Amino acid sequence: MTRRLSALDHLLARAGDALAGRSDPDTPPPRPTPAAPQPDAPSVALAPPERHHAAGLMRVNHAGEVAAQALYHGQSLLARTPEIRRHLLHAAAEERDHLEWCAERLQQLGEGPSRLQPVWYGASFAMGALVSVAGDRWSLGFVEETEKQVVQHLNGHLKKLPKNDHASRAILEQMRVDEARHGAEARAAGGVDLPLPLRLAMRGVARVMTRTAYWF
């Protein structure tokens, strides 16, 4: 006898997929990774220190995408209108592409994701749900501010990557394009500016995650 899945069942399934770096089977397959080698591009090997540094940066980005999944899941769970819920889940689907691209690149670099993924997911889910209580306009404003900070973070990582790590660079450049668009779409959908103390708190939380996930 087949049991009908509840909203909590779907939520837990999404959480498991996010932590495992898998796509939701109910969504379209991920876009091809931007890191796919070009036919005429030379293959450049990274020296061990470069490879370890690139892996640390990509581990941070992977942790950020786990957190992004949690934020969108938490926000969509308490969204006031179906339109905003669909908007958030659509953005989450694209963020899953980023999650898979980062996971694949980490494997190529010979390292794994952050061991603190459940922490990043749980804290971010709670934050997303909490901000949604204030209403959809605040929730969208939170998305916009988050994406602004992510774009700044990606700009910094693009400067820190080894110059010959073209695969990681291609991934981060496409992620930057997508994140900027998500922020603009959230603003267009009715997002409002967040108070300065909240923006600063978001930066502080992100700083803790990025510094920790590089090593663990």
Side-chain angles (χ1 to χ4, degrees), residues 87-195:
H87 174 92
L88 292 167
L89 292 177
H90 175 73
E94 287 198 348
E95 297 286 353
R96 269 195 298 274
D97 293 348
H98 302 171
L99 185 68
E100 294 206 4
W101 298 343
C102 290
E104 181 180 356
R105 184 58 184 153
L106 273 170
Q107 284 187 329
Q108 294 169 351
L109 292 167
E111 298 198 24
S114 170
R115 296 190 291 274
L116 299 175
Q117 287 185 93
V119 176
W120 311 137
Y121 189 94
S124 298
F125 181 89
M127 190 181 302
L130 183 63
V131 75
S132 290
V133 172
D136 286 345
R137 290 174 63 82
W138 284 89
S139 184
L140 290 168
F142 187 82
V143 171
E144 181 190 18
E145 180 60 29
T146 298
E147 301 297 19
K148 282 182 182 177
Q149 295 187 18
V150 170
V151 168
Q152 294 172 358
H153 155 83
L154 290 172
N155 286 336
H157 274 202
L158 284 166
K159 294 177 181 178
K160 294 177 183 178
L161 275 175
K163 292 184 178 179
N164 55 347
D165 187 359
H166 305 298
S168 298
R169 187 172 304 279
I171 291 172
L172 297 192
E173 287 176 344
Q174 183 58 53
M175 286 172 58
R176 181 173 60 179
V177 171
D178 292 343
E179 307 292 7
R181 177 167 47 80
H182 292 164
E185 289 173 348
R187 184 70 176 190
V192 297
D193 293 330
L194 300 184

Side-chain angles (χ1 to χ4, degrees), residues 24-48:
D24 184 337
D26 294 330
T27 61
R31 289 170 288 171
T33 174
Q38 300 299 317
D40 300 327
S43 177
V44 181
L46 298 176

